[in-house]
């Protein structure tokens, strides 16, 4: 029977290791059969593994009588070598490669790397110098302005050391929080000086500065107004670009009266801010409203609701009509008054008319009570309250709500307040200055 055999391709490369069985799936000591699916056989006699673990050559034995067979020691070393090759090993050559790679860089590239490192170092030193200068400036301003806390100082421009050497700074921003100003505290005064000229004796001794131009703003917060003027009973809020509303309660003669007022913010001279208080009103429940002032509409008057209710409150209506001076001021004929006092229907008809309600609201109850104290009991008004209101003048009430402050006048230069505007957080005023000096000889 003819045994089939494989015919090698004329382009196949002869590999002696393949003949010796050194394939991926070949067991040392065996060689592949003539077909891939045959079980590998032993190596030919005389072939042995080399000392390094790889198959050696066919030597037919050695001089010491070795028969050239595949010994067990060689086979074990070959297997151990294969196991080590399959185990991942750390590459200790990477660092050496990187060092050789840096050494191989051109001189220009090395110079660029060195320049970048030097620039980073110089920039770090410059920032440290800025921080030191800002701290020293903050401490100096705190002492000169007698502040409770050091202000925030921010020196602009880069690099700082070059500006210092030139004795000129691009900008310096100073922020002073909680600056006392008359009866109120300014929440924040922030100003930025530009193109500052320094008076120095070297880089470490600065004894003065000239400020040709300065701008900033002043913030008076509503929170400070509520705490310092309102005493937790009155709150302030914005009402347009130049007005502030005041709402709350005001204790008068043991009664908490509802307070309503408006303040118009205005600039006072060149460095001050003041308010004009208007629209002041104190409400005694739904019964009466007090407006301090000398005008006819000022004083204590019945509310619209109270005057309209006179037609349904017989007792109060009769109390008013029983006072001749009041009847005269109301312009009611005497015959009508007598009929109304004896006939409730006539009384309701009189007090329920729109003319009577309007005239009742025009009465100044304080003036009426001074001449006719009995009216007070008829209207359920406390005599002590009316006495306190009669002494509560408009200036006295306005003084409780008014605010004002003025910036100190500098020894050299000019500082002015410009635009005044009311925002959501408080009152803001623009600040400008020119030709200022700090320290110096």
């Amino acid at each position: 029977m003819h045994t089939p055999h494989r015919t090698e391709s004329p382009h196949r490369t002869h590999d002696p290791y393949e003949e010796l069985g050194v394939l991926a799936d070949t067991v040392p000591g065996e060689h592949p059969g003539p077909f891939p699916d045959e079980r590998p056989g032993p190596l030919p006699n005389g072939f042995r593994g080399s000392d390094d673990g790889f198959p050696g050559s066919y030597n037919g034995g050695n001089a010491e009588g070795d028969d050239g067979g595949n010994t067990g020691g060689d086979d074990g070393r070959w297997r151990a070598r294969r196991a080590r090759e399959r185990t991942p090993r750390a590459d200790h050559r990477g660092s050496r490669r990187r060092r050789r790679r840096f050494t191989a860089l051109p001189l220009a590239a090395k110079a660029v790397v060195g320049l970048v490192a030097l620039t980073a170092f110089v920039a770090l030193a410059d920032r440290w110098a800025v921080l030191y200068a800002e701290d020293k400036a903050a401490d100096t301003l705190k002492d000169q302005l007698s502040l409770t806390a050091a202000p925030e100082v921010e020196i602009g421009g880069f690099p700082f050391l070059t500006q210092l050497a030139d004795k000129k700074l691009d900008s310096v921003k100073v922020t002073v929080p909680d600056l006392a100003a008359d009866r109120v505290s300014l929440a924040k005064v922030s100003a930025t000086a530009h193109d500052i000229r320094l008076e120095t004796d070297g880089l470490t001794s600065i004894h003065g500065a000239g400020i040709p131009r300065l701008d900033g703003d002043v913030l008076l917060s509503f929170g400070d107004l509520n705490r310092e003027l309102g005493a937790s009973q009155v709150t302030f809020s914005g009402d347009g670009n130049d007005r502030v509303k005041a709402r709350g309660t005001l204790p008068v003669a043991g009664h908490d009266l509802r307070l309503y007022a408006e303040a118009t913010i205005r600039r006072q001279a060149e460095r001050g801010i003041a308010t004009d208080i208007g629209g002041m009103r104190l409400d005694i429940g739904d019964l009466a409203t007090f407006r301090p002032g000398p005008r006819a509409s000022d004083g204590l008057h019945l509310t619209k609701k109270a005057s309209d209710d006179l037609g349904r409150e017989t007792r109060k209506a009769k109390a008013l009509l029983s006072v001749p001076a009041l009847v005269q001021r109301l312009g009611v004929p005497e015959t009508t008054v007598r009929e109304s006092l004896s006939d409730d229907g006539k009384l309701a008809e009189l007090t329920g008319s729109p003319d009577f309600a309007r005239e009742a609201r025009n009465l100044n109850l304080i003036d009426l009570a001074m001449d006719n104290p009995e009216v007070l009991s008829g209207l359920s008004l406390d005599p002590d309250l009316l006495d306190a209101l009669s002494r509560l003048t408009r200036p006295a009430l306005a003084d409780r709500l008014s605010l004002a402050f003025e910036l100190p006048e500098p020894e050299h230069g000019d500082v002015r307040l410009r635009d005044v505007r009311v925002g959501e957080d408080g009152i803001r005023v623009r600040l400008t200055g020119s030709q200022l000096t700090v320290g110096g000889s």
Side-chain angles (χ1 to χ4, degrees):
M1 180 176 179
H2 178 71
T3 303
H5 64 276
R6 291 179 296 176
T7 302
E8 295 185 355
S9 170
H11 302 288
R12 181 183 177 96
T13 303
H14 180 69
D15 188 354
Y17 284 96
E18 183 176 354
E19 293 183 357
L20 296 178
V22 190
L23 298 176
D25 57 350
T26 302
V27 180
E30 298 180 354
H31 71 88
F35 296 99
D37 56 348
E38 289 185 351
R39 179 180 179 84
L43 291 171
N45 189 27
F47 281 86
R48 58 169 292 176
S50 64
D51 291 339
D52 60 357
F54 288 97
S57 62
Y58 179 76
N59 54 19
N62 57 26
E64 297 179 0
D66 191 353
D67 58 359
N70 186 23
T71 63
D74 291 335
D75 179 58
R77 284 194 297 273
W78 192 88
R79 291 178 180 272
R81 179 64 176 269
R82 289 292 299 275
R84 287 195 300 272
E85 289 179 351
R86 292 172 180 173
T87 303
R89 293 179 298 174
D91 186 5
H92 299 289
R93 295 173 293 177
S95 60
R96 291 195 296 271
R97 289 197 196 99
R98 286 189 290 269
R99 286 196 294 269
R100 288 196 298 270
R101 195 176 295 125
F102 179 78
T103 305
L105 287 175
L107 181 60
K110 295 179 181 179
V112 170
V113 174
L115 181 61
V116 170
L118 179 61
T119 302
F121 177 77
V122 172
L124 182 62
D126 189 82
R127 291 301 92 189
W128 276 109
V130 168
L131 294 176
Y132 177 78
E134 290 173 348
D135 289 341
K136 294 293 291 183
D139 293 338
T140 301
L141 289 174
K142 177 185 175 183
D143 295 337
Q144 290 184 355
L145 300 178
S146 300
L147 303 176
T148 57
E152 300 177 6
V153 178
E154 181 180 350
I155 300 176
F158 180 83
F160 167 70
L161 294 177
T162 303
Q163 297 182 77
L164 190 60
D166 292 339
K167 298 183 180 182
K168 184 177 180 180
L169 299 179
D170 292 343
S171 65
V172 176
K173 182 178 180 180
V174 179
T175 302
V176 183
D178 297 328
L179 182 63
D182 196 20
R183 299 175 56 198
V184 296
S185 297
L186 303 179
K188 184 173 67 174
V189 177
S190 178
T192 301
H194 304 274
D195 302 327
I196 303 99
R197 298 185 300 271
L198 301 177
E199 298 179 14
T200 66
D201 293 330
L203 296 178
T204 59
S205 177
I206 301 175
H207 52 79
I211 304 173
R213 182 169 61 91
L214 178 144
D215 59 72
D217 60 17
V218 178
L219 171 63
L220 178 59
S221 71
F222 290 134
D224 291 337
L225 291 179
N226 296 339
R227 183 182 65 253
E228 297 168 350
L229 294 182
S232 302
Q233 294 177 319
V234 178
T235 59
F236 295 85
S237 60
D239 184 25
N241 293 330
D242 61 347
R243 292 191 306 276
V244 175
K245 294 188 300 185
R247 300 290 185 269
T249 60
L250 185 68
V252 178
H255 298 267
D256 288 334
L257 308 184
R258 291 197 302 267
L259 170 68
Y260 299 87
E262 294 180 356
T264 302
I265 310 298
R266 58 179 174 84
R267 185 163 57 91
Q268 188 174 30
E270 299 293 341
R271 292 184 301 276
I273 292 296
T275 55
D276 291 328
I277 307 297
M280 290 182 293
R281 190 178 88 228
L282 293 172
D283 287 350
I284 307 173
D286 294 332
L287 178 61
T289 297
F290 174 73
R291 290 183 175 88
R295 297 175 301 180
S297 58
D298 296 331
L300 184 63
H301 299 268
L302 292 174
T303 64
K304 184 178 185 304
K305 182 179 182 303
S307 61
D308 292 340
D309 289 344
L310 286 177
R312 296 183 296 272
E313 297 180 3
T314 304
R315 182 182 60 82
K316 291 183 179 181
K318 289 183 177 181
L320 291 176
L321 293 177
S322 61
V323 179
L326 178 58
V327 173
Q328 184 178 0
R329 292 188 183 185
L330 290 174
V332 182
E334 294 184 3
T335 56
T336 304
V337 171
R338 287 195 297 267
E339 291 177 357
S340 299
L341 292 177
S342 59
D343 186 347
D344 291 344
K346 294 287 186 178
L347 178 63
E349 183 180 349
L350 172 62
T351 57
S353 65
D355 293 339
F356 182 86
R358 184 175 57 254
E359 293 297 332
R361 288 195 300 271
N362 291 333
L363 294 175
N364 189 346
L365 299 181
I366 291 181
D367 295 340
L368 183 63
M370 294 178 61
D371 299 330
N372 304 275
E374 66 274 11
V375 176
L376 299 180
S377 58
L379 295 177
S380 302
L381 290 173
D382 183 4
D384 294 335
L385 175 60
L386 265 67
D387 181 62
L389 291 176
S390 64
R391 291 183 282 104
L392 184 60
T393 62
R394 187 179 188 280
L397 183 58
D399 183 64
R400 299 190 183 189
L401 305 175
S402 63
L403 61 97
F405 67 87
E406 185 173 356
L407 294 178
E409 184 176 1
E411 295 182 2
H412 304 283
D414 182 37
V415 176
R416 298 186 180 187
L417 297 176
R418 297 297 186 185
D419 301 331
V420 181
R421 62 189 185 278
V422 177
E424 294 183 358
D425 54 348
I427 303 168
R428 290 187 176 273
V429 188
R430 189 165 64 90
L431 175 69
T432 62
S434 61
Q435 305 305 320
L436 300 169
T437 59
V438 179
S441 56

